[in-house]
Amino acid sequence: MAERILIVDDEETLCEVLKLNLENEGYDVDIAFSAEEALTYELKGYSLILLDIMMGEISGIKMAKMLKADVATADIPIIFCTARDSEDDMVMGLNIGADDYIMKPYTVRNVIARVKSVLRRTAGHKSSAIVEKPHVLKVEGLCLDLEFKRCTVDGEEVKLAKKEFELLAYLISHRGKICSREQILSRVWSDEVVVLDRTIDVNITRLRSKIGTYGAYIVTRSGFGYGFRE
């Protein structure tokens, strides 16, 4: 099955040119002319998103934050394509979790090369969480229902605060990896103006206490961040 790519850009001619050339390379390509339109799609089915920064009400940066904050779409690679060329924009995009950054004007050949590179690089790093059915993450007796925001441990419901639930879901969906504090803050606390690093530590401590024996699955790597072990 061909890998699916979504192009999100308000320049229609550019989108059509990219679509044609990427399809010639064997990809299945869709187009959205705004972030608002793109967010109506079933995004979790895409292998990669080419995303413009400067759009309408919802910018590419804001859309990327929304994608990375949702466990269903957090692992989708993002390449920013934009005319904004300041170092701040580039750093912001990469800090959010973008996998590459292409400056306009660019050649189609360059875009195709970047797409292939990112897809190769991310092919072996998909989320290793066990998904038993849509919207459910399960690790042995620990189960998170993402649709009903419900956590159970060995069949018993455990009450988690909103951020505790989102943090646990993020760690499980990236099982086997160490997530940096910056990554966790940008995904779980993306809607907050100022969040202290200590906030993560407090929530980790609470989670370990609440999920019983599965608290030992949450690992700390001093100077790097947190993870959920295999």
Side-chain angles (χ1 to χ4, degrees):
M1 183 180 294
E3 291 174 296
R4 298 181 64 203
I5 296 174
L6 176 62
I7 302 170
V8 187
D9 197 309
D10 55 8
E11 296 184 44
E12 296 187 19
T13 301
L14 179 61
C15 288
E16 295 295 344
V17 170
L18 285 178
K19 176 179 170 68
L20 175 63
N21 283 273
L22 287 167
E23 286 179 339
N24 286 340
E25 294 292 325
Y27 299 109
D28 184 1
V29 183
D30 292 322
I31 295 173
F33 297 121
S34 68
E36 290 85 346
E37 179 184 354
L39 290 170
T40 66
Y41 295 2
E42 189 67 24
L43 295 175
K44 63 183 179 181
Y46 288 100
S47 305
L48 182 144
I49 296 176
L50 284 164
L51 182 59
D52 184 31
I53 285 184
M54 298 182 68
M55 292 187 287
E57 290 291 323
I58 301 178
S59 69
I61 292 289
K62 185 173 182 180
M63 178 177 170
K65 287 182 178 180
M66 295 167 70
L67 294 176
K68 295 302 181 182
D70 187 336
V71 293
T73 55
D75 285 339
I76 300 175
I78 294 173
I79 298 178
F80 277 126
C81 300
T82 179
R84 299 179 67 171
D85 57 0
S86 77
E87 184 178 354
D88 287 345
D89 293 325
M90 185 180 299
V91 170
M92 183 184 300
L94 296 175
N95 281 344
I96 289 171
D99 295 86
D100 208 341
Y101 197 104
I102 306 176
M103 308 306 305
K104 294 180 181 178
Y106 47 71
T107 65
V108 172
R109 183 179 179 183
N110 183 25
V111 175
I112 291 173
R114 298 290 188 94
V115 166
K116 290 181 177 180
S117 176
V118 169
L119 287 174
R120 280 197 305 269
R121 191 167 68 242
T122 59
H125 296 86
K126 299 300 181 183
S127 170
S128 55
I130 301 171
V131 182
E132 285 203 330
K133 60 181 182 177
H135 309 301
V136 173
L137 294 174
K138 184 175 175 63
V139 178
E140 299 180 13
L142 174 62
C143 181
L144 292 184
D145 188 318
L146 304 180
E147 186 172 5
F148 291 97
K149 311 302 181 188
R150 185 170 179 263
C151 173
T152 57
V153 174
D154 298 328
E156 296 293 325
E157 184 169 2
V158 175
K159 298 294 184 182
L160 297 181
K162 181 175 183 290
K163 292 303 181 184
E164 292 170 353
F165 185 93
E166 292 174 354
L167 174 58
L168 181 58
Y170 180 73
L171 293 177
I172 293 177
S173 69
H174 292 77
R175 191 177 180 190
K177 300 179 183 179
I178 294 298
C179 303
S180 70
R181 290 174 176 274
E182 292 75 15
Q183 289 173 321
I184 294 172
L185 287 172
S186 67
R187 271 66 158 191
V188 180
W189 279 273
S190 59
D191 56 342
E192 303 288 338
V193 177
V194 178
V195 180
L196 301 176
D197 282 355
R198 179 62 181 162
T199 301
I200 300 176
D201 302 333
V202 170
N203 279 270
I204 290 289
T205 299
R206 289 174 179 167
L207 276 177
R208 283 179 171 144
S209 173
K210 289 184 177 183
I211 62 177
T213 57
Y214 299 102
Y217 281 65
I218 301 176
V219 296
T220 303
R221 291 290 180 267
S222 182
F224 294 94
Y226 294 100
F228 202 95
R229 67 176 174 82
E230 296 282 5

